[in-house]
Amino acid sequence: MMKEYQVVLIDKNLKKEGLILDSSVWEQANCLADFSSPWKNESISKIEFRAVWDFENLYFKFKVFDSDIYIDEKDDSVESIGNSDRVELFFRQNNSLNPYYCLEIDTSVRLMDFEARPGKVFDFDWKWPKEDISLRESKDETSFTVEGRISVKSLNQLKLIHDNTIETGVYRAKFSKGKNQNYEPTWISWVDPNTEEPNFHIASSFGRFVLLK
């Protein structure tokens, strides 16, 4: 049985310019907080994920209660983003993962977006259409927040909505300095994929977003 998260429908008139949704709108959303790192014993920072939609856009918000953030700032390459603290959403058409689409967003909202196929075959030349996605971030003393908007039109064009559900993976990569002074990742997932080694790129790491009407 796949894990489910219910995405509350909001009035599209509640959206302001750009991405902005009032905090009162986010209070209507269900809070998804059952994240874990199945491959490590130590505790992880609390993560709150929320999503709402309005027939035109899917809005999402990660709030991560962690102020010790690591960003690899040498450039804006895939490698640099891949070595940084980030949050991730994967969307698939079905459990064949052929294809699926990945959005990996660091805490300065640099976006690594790519099309993927089984066996970790990644096409980094593929991009989510710019007009169909927007992102913003904020930080305070105890947490960082990454918010986004994805158009329902683009989700439909990629054949990702079926019977008002989107099969979705929700993840976080946390980098911490190890004993050798190198930064090492802790991999955190909403769904435990039941693998010996960390692996998000597998059918068992996905759950289901249900778009309420």
Side-chain angles (χ1 to χ4, degrees):
M1 189 71 179
M2 290 177 75
K3 266 188 169 180
E4 284 193 354
Y5 172 76
Q6 297 196 327
V7 181
V8 171
L9 178 68
I10 61 167
D11 183 340
K12 65 182 179 183
N13 295 319
L14 294 175
K15 183 182 73 168
K16 298 180 181 177
E17 288 301 312
L19 260 189
I20 310 300
L21 294 176
D22 280 340
S23 58
S24 60
V25 177
W26 286 119
E27 287 168 8
Q28 298 175 38
N30 292 308
C31 179
L32 188 162
D34 54 335
F35 291 88
S36 67
S37 180
W39 309 280
K40 288 204 173 180
N41 291 325
E42 61 257 35
S43 62
I44 60 170
S45 301
K46 182 180 179 185
I47 303 167
E48 293 181 348
F49 175 87
R50 291 174 169 83
V52 295
W53 78 301
D54 63 3
F55 291 109
E56 293 179 358
N57 293 290
L58 173 72
Y59 301 92
F60 64 87
K61 178 179 181 179
F62 286 87
K63 184 168 186 178
V64 181
F65 291 84
D66 183 3
S67 58
D68 182 18
I69 298 164
Y70 177 67
I71 300 179
D72 180 342
E73 296 182 309
K74 66 177 180 289
D75 55 36
D76 290 333
S77 66
V78 164
E79 290 78 12
S80 182
I81 300 171
N83 287 328
S84 300
D85 280 14
R86 61 192 186 278
V87 294
E88 306 180 4
L89 288 173
F90 293 1
F91 303 107
R92 72 185 193 191
Q93 296 176 352
N94 54 57
N95 64 5
S96 74
L97 300 184
N98 195 23
Y100 60 107
Y101 300 93
C102 305
L103 302 173
E104 305 195 11
I105 311 156
D106 78 4
T107 59
S108 60
V109 293
R110 294 184 302 179
L111 172 63
M112 180 182 3
D113 48 346
F114 55 98
E115 182 184 73
R117 295 183 187 274
K120 297 187 178 180
V121 177
F122 303 150
D123 177 4
F124 290 108
D125 291 330
W126 183 91
K127 299 296 176 193
W128 205 284
K130 276 194 165 43
E131 67 274 13
D132 291 307
I133 186 168
S134 50
L135 303 165
R136 71 174 191 147
E137 57 81 24
S138 60
K139 298 180 181 73
D140 60 28
E141 291 180 358
T142 60
S143 67
F144 69 86
T145 298
V146 172
E147 295 179 61
R149 173 199 66 85
I150 301 170
S151 77
V152 170
K153 179 187 71 157
S154 64
L155 292 165
N156 278 320
Q157 287 173 339
L158 295 171
K159 301 185 172 79
L160 296 171
I161 303 178
H162 304 279
D163 299 323
N164 290 316
T165 66
I166 308 171
E167 295 185 2
T168 309
V170 190
Y171 318 101
R172 181 188 178 211
K174 163 64 181 173
F175 281 77
S176 305
K177 190 177 284 188
K179 292 176 183 175
N180 59 4
Q181 300 303 300
N182 291 331
Y183 280 86
E184 303 292 341
T186 297
W187 302 103
I188 298 160
S189 180
W190 168 39
V191 177
D192 180 352
N194 292 304
T195 57
E196 284 191 22
E197 299 295 326
N199 188 1
F200 298 161
H201 297 272
I202 190 168
S204 57
S205 77
F206 284 72
R208 183 183 287 119
F209 282 10
V210 179
L211 302 175
L212 299 180
K213 290 188 174 179

